[in-house]
Amino acid sequence: MIDRRQILVAPLAPLAAQPQAELRAAMIGVGNRGSYTMRSVMQVPGVRVAAVCDIKPDRLDKAASAAAAHSPKTYTDYRQVLAQKDIDAVHISTPCDLHVEMAIAALQAGKHVYLEKPAGIDAESIGRLVDVAKSSRKVFLIGQQLRSHTRMRAVISKIHEGLIGKVVMIKAQRHSADDLAHDGPSADWFFDAKRSGDVIVEMSVHNLDVCNWIASSRPERAAGFGGALVWPNDPPGRTNMDGYTLSYEYENGVKLSYTQVFFHARGMPGSGQYWYVYGTEGSVDLDKAMYYPRSRDKQPMEIVPPTEEKLDAQHIGAFYDCVTKGAKNPADINVAAVGALTAILGREAIYRKKMLSWQELGARV
């Protein structure tokens, strides 16, 4: 969540005012993530997948077959997609190092943009994307789907209303039992930190964005340690981490302790992801929506009952509500940039082996 000092996004021009019967969407990148996103797009009323684009022929053919009911055109060059004047919106699901370049080009081509996270992998290029997105009248929404999680939104709202008093600390993690498949379809870029931004940027941007949301602030400084601890140079040439621990201090004083590992042994308790939020009057387990008061006279309680969540469908639906109805954007360029820069700040603190400040990073939002 961004403070009031930050510049607001320019007013958007919803397509609802235009005499157009359907929206025509293009999918740029249809690998595992892109093809999954495409299925959700195909379920949105009034939206047609009119184009699919990928540089890998097998992925392109598979996506075209999956979207056959929408009769999409196929492309291997995303610039040819953007040149099509009848394309209204694009979904970009490519390797992370291509996100800024493609998103800027799409906005400048007059397309609404749904960009998979992260917004970018370095501070300078994210600054350029911020400038273009804020000057555009088209919708830009980042694929940080937890911003559309109904139960999470309700719990965080309660925290902001003062349920646990003043928030003072957050403890969060993202733990799994194994590494990404070393011979999988994304291995050609995932293990290369210059392409993925490293695991903290490629994956934990989701988790750190939620921490920003809870804190209602952005980090002022970070410090941490990490590396390829279990799989050094495996696969050969690997440059990303498989485990790290980080500490952040926010502008408003909130402290954050965060870890990500790929070697949390199966069966050992405490795996998966969580956010524990500590306040002056109590604590919240965000994932379970449970409130634990500090007072001995009060009992723990469930804040919000469980809800059925279809995150991709909800988030993509929110994107098209922004486009057609001018609805409030749950994950705009400010959310996108600050989330990615939070992850980059942590990564660079680890790489440089020092406490690093937001100002030293050169972040611009």
Side-chain angles (χ1 to χ4, degrees), residues 13 78 199 210 218 229 231 251 273 286 306 343:
Y78 80 94
V199 293
V210 173
R218 69 185 184 194
L229 308 176
W231 290 280
E251 287 183 333
Q273 61 184 19
L286 181 61

Side-chain angles (χ1 to χ4, degrees), residues 46 51 93 97 143 186 304 312 318:
S93 305
D97 59 322
S186 298
V304 181
D312 276 285

Side-chain angles (χ1 to χ4, degrees), residues 159-181:
I159 292 171
H160 290 167
E161 290 169 9
L163 175 66
I164 59 173
K166 179 184 177 182
V167 175
V168 296
M169 185 176 287
I170 304 166
K171 189 174 187 297
Q173 71 169 43
R174 182 176 182 138
H175 288 193
S176 60
D178 209 346
D179 209 12
L180 192 79

